[in-house]
Every structure is written in C-alpha cells, then in structure tokens.
Amino acid sequence: MSSRADSTSPPPYSFEPSSFPPPPPRAGDVARNWSFQAKFEAAKEPVRQAILDTITAWTFSETSGESWDFIPRQDVQDAYDAAAVDLRKALDFIIENKYAVYLRDDMDRRRHEYFHRMDGQESSPRVLPSPQAFADDFDTAHVEVQIAVLRTFALWKSSRGGKHVRPLHEHVRGEYERAPIELKTLLEWVLASGSVNPVRHSRDVRNFEKLEKSHLQRSIMIRTSVQPFL
C-alpha cells in the first residue's frame, strides 16, 4: 500500500473502541471517504477481528487457498473500497450489527444474516422483495443457491400437478413476479437464507431451519474460539 498523509491518511488505529474522524484535507487535495475505516475503529475489538478475518477468509476462498494474506488494520478502507459486492455486504452486515463472527463467503453471509434477523425480529412480518430486487439478489447469489431457487420453482409446480421445469436464469424475474404468494415466500426463503436445498412446502422450510440453526450455532462456537480455517 502506498503511504498517505493528511486527507489521504486513514483514522489512527486503537485497541480501545473509539471514533476517529478523517483528517482534514490540505489545500488542493480531494478528501477520501474513510467512513468504513472510522466505523471499524469505533467497533469493539471482537468485531474488528471479525472484519479482518472475513476479508482474509473471503480472499482465501476466492483464490482456492493460494494465498493467506492478513491485511494491515490501517488498510481496511482500501480493502472495503476494492471489495466485490458480496464481500462488501458481508462487511456492512458485521459492522452494522456488531457481529463478532467472521464470514467465509456469500452463502455463509446469507445464512448468518438470515438467522440473526430472525432472532431479533421473530414477531415481525416478513416483507417480500419486489421482482426486480429478487432478480438482482438472485444474480449475485452463489451458483448453488441459484440452482436451489430454480429447483424450488420446478418442485413447487410439479407437487401441485404442473410440469417439473426449471425456469431459465433470465426468466427468473418474470416467473417470480407471476408466482403466487406461497411460492414467492418459499423462493425468498431459499435466497435469503443461502440454502442449497430446494423446498416445496412451508414445512420443508421449518425442517431445514431447525437443522441449519443447529449447525450455525455449532459453527459460531467454533469460530469464536479459533482462528479462521485452523
């Protein structure tokens, strides 16, 4: 990383949770946006460690284990700015929810975020996404999750007397828009939870949720006690 000064320097790092505003720009300089770095500095140490471990684990996964590079803490904003959409969503989720558990990939992020939201808002009604929002989220999902969504379309229809046909990727928006509420709810669950299992009934969702939550709780216990992948 290149050296920085004044407006191009990140907020100073501290092991104590506190907030550091970005330094003022010098004349003629364009101030950088240090908002994520500032949130990082203001977080408690377990959350900051989750951010660093997530960036490392995500990169390690994307490079098929070819590199294991821990980034310097002062370079968090650079990593955030350069992150793909899925990693940025994971980092935003961790920092905004003070989530002290690292995430490995987009499927992992969806699963953790889904159950975190469920635990905090069990009595709140679920709001189904618009067709465009669903299609956009589908496009960024892991291929295994996309397949589960497409299989859910087919299973739901075939279990009700229709043909077992998966829609084409480019037809997902229209198929979702025309789907009845029951099917929309199942599709949204598969996508939001990062499930690789297609579902055809609400009871399937309940069964998978019990299994996934149990697995997630065990995973969280392990991750909060050891370093990533060790």
Side-chain angles (χ1 to χ4, degrees):
M1 298 291 177
S2 60
S3 61
R4 308 186 185 93
D6 295 330
S7 65
T8 57
S9 297
Y13 179 77
S14 168
F15 277 93
E16 298 299 325
S18 56
S19 180
F20 297 95
R26 292 183 297 185
D29 282 344
V30 177
R32 282 195 58 182
N33 182 357
W34 294 104
S35 58
F36 190 82
Q37 186 89 32
K39 291 177 183 178
F40 173 82
E41 306 299 353
K44 293 184 178 180
E45 184 60 20
V47 176
R48 292 191 285 205
Q49 191 61 52
I51 289 290
L52 296 171
D53 288 344
T54 294
I55 295 171
T56 300
W58 213 282
T59 304
F60 184 82
S61 175
E62 289 180 346
T63 58
S64 301
E66 294 178 2
S67 62
W68 184 249
D69 300 322
F70 289 98
I71 67 165
R73 292 172 182 249
Q74 66 269 22
D75 291 338
V76 163
Q77 186 69 54
D78 283 339
Y80 180 83
D81 290 342
V85 173
D86 54 357
L87 174 54
R88 193 173 294 193
K89 285 182 179 179
L91 299 176
D92 286 339
F93 166 70
I94 291 172
I95 206 75
E96 291 169 7
N97 293 278
K98 301 178 176 64
Y99 202 68
V101 182
Y102 76 88
L103 307 174
R104 295 180 301 183
D105 53 34
D106 186 63
M107 284 194 295
D108 202 35
R109 189 271 303 173
R110 289 173 186 270
R111 189 175 300 113
H112 280 258
E113 185 170 352
Y114 175 81
F115 284 104
H116 180 76
R117 185 175 69 241
M118 290 293 291
D119 289 342
Q121 303 176 355
E122 290 181 353
S123 60
S124 301
R126 298 288 298 278
V127 178
L128 293 174
S130 68
Q132 189 58 55
F134 182 86
D136 290 343
D137 198 21
F138 175 82
D139 286 340
T140 62
H142 192 280
V143 64
E144 292 182 57
V145 178
Q146 291 181 343
I147 291 172
V149 168
L150 299 179
R151 291 181 64 195
T152 294
F153 273 111
L155 283 173
W156 189 88
K157 291 180 180 179
S158 64
S159 67
R160 289 157 179 80
K163 293 183 178 180
H164 188 279
V165 179
R166 300 184 196 179
L168 297 175
H169 188 116
E170 58 268 27
H171 294 164
V172 163
R173 185 191 185 283
E175 290 287 342
Y176 175 84
E177 187 170 18
R178 291 186 292 272
I181 294 298
E182 181 185 4
L183 177 53
K184 277 189 173 77
T185 302
L186 298 178
L187 295 167
E188 192 274 338
W189 178 83
V190 173
L191 190 57
S193 66
S195 177
V196 298
N197 300 297
V199 292
R200 69 184 76 190
H201 299 289
S202 58
R203 63 175 175 271
D204 295 337
V205 171
R206 291 192 294 270
N207 291 335
F208 281 128
E209 279 189 347
K210 290 179 182 178
L211 293 173
E212 288 292 343
K213 189 166 187 178
S214 176
H215 174 75
L216 186 69
Q217 289 171 338
R218 290 195 300 271
S219 174
I220 289 174
M221 289 179 61
I222 294 172
R223 293 188 195 186
T224 53
S225 62
V226 299
Q227 287 292 319
F229 296 97
L230 297 182

